[in-house]
């Protein structure tokens, strides 16, 4: 089931991201608008576009989220591999995407502080980054 959904989500996301999909959706809206006078701008006429766009948007959210989750996980795996392969990189950074937002912000702030000081203050800045990483 998971492979089937992944396959459908990938193909759907690719199709929805094409210029032709935008043109088709725009065309549908134009046709709907043109038919307004024919249907006397009735409640049913309005309900057609509202229901159609709501259902399509609802389904698209799940497909887009699935694609973003897979892309994010793949990027994290690639970054983790780079962290593992680069000799000067701190392996403690691998997996920090699982920390809370506050923990990640604290680490990012310590890194920015470390980078701003350059080589002269690196020893004290390293300790604060290392301390934050050690807490996880």
């Amino acid at each position: 089931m998971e492979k089937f959904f992944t396959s459908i989500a990938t193909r759907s996301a690719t199709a929805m991201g094409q210029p032709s999909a935008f043109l088709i959706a725009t065309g549908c809206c134009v046709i709907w608008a043109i038919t307004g006078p024919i249907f006397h701008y009735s409640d049913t006429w309005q309900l057609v576009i509202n229901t159609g766009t709501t259902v399509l948007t609802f389904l698209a959210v799940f497909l887009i989220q699935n694609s973003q989750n897979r892309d994010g996980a793949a990027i994290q795996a690639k970054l983790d591999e780079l962290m593992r392969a680069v000799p000067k990189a701190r392996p403690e950074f691998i997996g920090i995407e699982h920390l809370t937002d506050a923990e990640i912000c604290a680490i990012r702030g310590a890194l920015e502080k470390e980078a701003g000081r350059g080589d002269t203050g690196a020893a004290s800045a390293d300790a604060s980054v290392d301390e934050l990483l050690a807490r996880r």
Side-chain angles (χ1 to χ4, degrees):
M1 178 68 175
E2 192 170 329
K3 280 197 176 275
F4 175 72
F5 181 75
T6 299
S7 173
I8 295 294
T10 301
R11 283 188 268 153
S12 298
T14 301
M16 286 190 299
Q18 299 300 314
S20 58
F22 175 77
L23 292 175
I24 290 169
T26 302
C28 288
C29 291
V30 168
I31 290 169
W32 171 81
I34 290 171
T35 62
I38 297 168
F39 293 104
H40 308 288
Y41 302 100
S42 68
D43 289 343
T44 304
W45 173 78
Q46 292 179 30
L47 191 60
V48 167
I49 196 74
N50 290 338
T51 303
T53 55
T54 301
V55 168
L56 290 174
T57 301
F58 179 75
L59 295 175
V61 165
F62 293 102
L63 295 174
I64 292 166
Q65 187 62 51
N66 178 269
S67 293
Q68 287 182 337
N69 289 349
R70 279 185 290 108
D71 289 348
I75 288 170
Q76 285 303 319
K78 291 173 184 180
L79 289 172
D80 288 349
E81 172 59 12
L82 288 172
M83 293 293 301
R84 190 192 61 73
V86 174
K88 288 188 176 185
R90 291 177 260 201
E92 295 84 10
F93 276 99
I94 294 175
I96 68 164
E97 68 273 10
H98 301 293
L99 299 177
T100 66
D101 288 342
E103 291 169 324
I104 292 172
C105 284
I107 291 170
R108 188 176 63 224
L111 284 167
E112 289 171 355
K113 187 175 179 182
E114 177 182 302
R117 289 186 179 177
D119 291 336
T120 58
S124 64
D126 277 346
S128 65
V129 172
D130 290 336
E131 283 177 16
L132 291 169
L133 291 171
R135 293 181 196 163
R136 38 180 231 129

